[in-house]
Amino acid sequence: MNNGAREKQIAVRVTDEEKNAFEDKAKQEGKTPSQVLLQFVHSYIGLSGERSGEADVQQKISQLEAQIREIQQQLGKQPA
């Protein structure tokens, strides 16, 4: 997954409004905020290959999970 490299965190200061809008938009797209930021970082530094592919797969899984939740809500069913 990360080829033995230790993962680090990046902190960014934003207003409450920016944070909420960012989280809402990511959720609407079926993504987590971390997935959106990782996608940006990978694109910005020109990273491709395995790590980028993993992010794509995780993004697709998250989108499908969001679609399932939406369908369940439309049908009036709560997820187990």
Side-chain angles (χ1 to χ4, degrees), residues 2 7 13-14 16 23 39 41 55 64 67-69 74:
N2 65 7
E7 293 183 350
R13 294 187 184 276
V14 295
D16 285 339
E23 290 174 339
Q39 184 178 6
V41 170
L64 289 171
Q67 290 173 350
I68 290 169
R69 285 191 300 274
Q74 290 173 356

Side-chain angles (χ1 to χ4, degrees), residues 36-79:
V36 174
L37 291 172
L38 279 172
Q39 184 178 6
F40 168 76
V41 170
H42 292 169
S43 174
Y44 188 76
I45 64 174
L47 182 64
S48 61
E50 180 182 330
R51 189 68 193 256
S52 181
E54 288 176 15
D56 290 342
V57 169
Q58 288 301 319
Q59 176 182 342
K60 289 175 184 175
I61 290 170
S62 292
Q63 288 173 338
L64 289 171
E65 289 172 338
Q67 290 173 350
I68 290 169
R69 285 191 300 274
E70 184 177 329
I71 291 167
Q72 287 173 326
Q73 288 175 349
Q74 290 173 356
L75 295 174
K77 297 180 181 177
Q78 296 298 321

Side-chain angles (χ1 to χ4, degrees), residues 10-32:
I10 299 173
V12 179
R13 294 187 184 276
V14 295
T15 65
D16 285 339
E17 293 82 15
E18 291 168 330
K19 180 180 181 287
N20 292 335
F22 178 70
E23 290 174 339
D24 289 345
K25 183 163 183 168
K27 185 176 180 180
Q28 289 172 1
E29 295 177 354
K31 303 174 188 175
T32 66

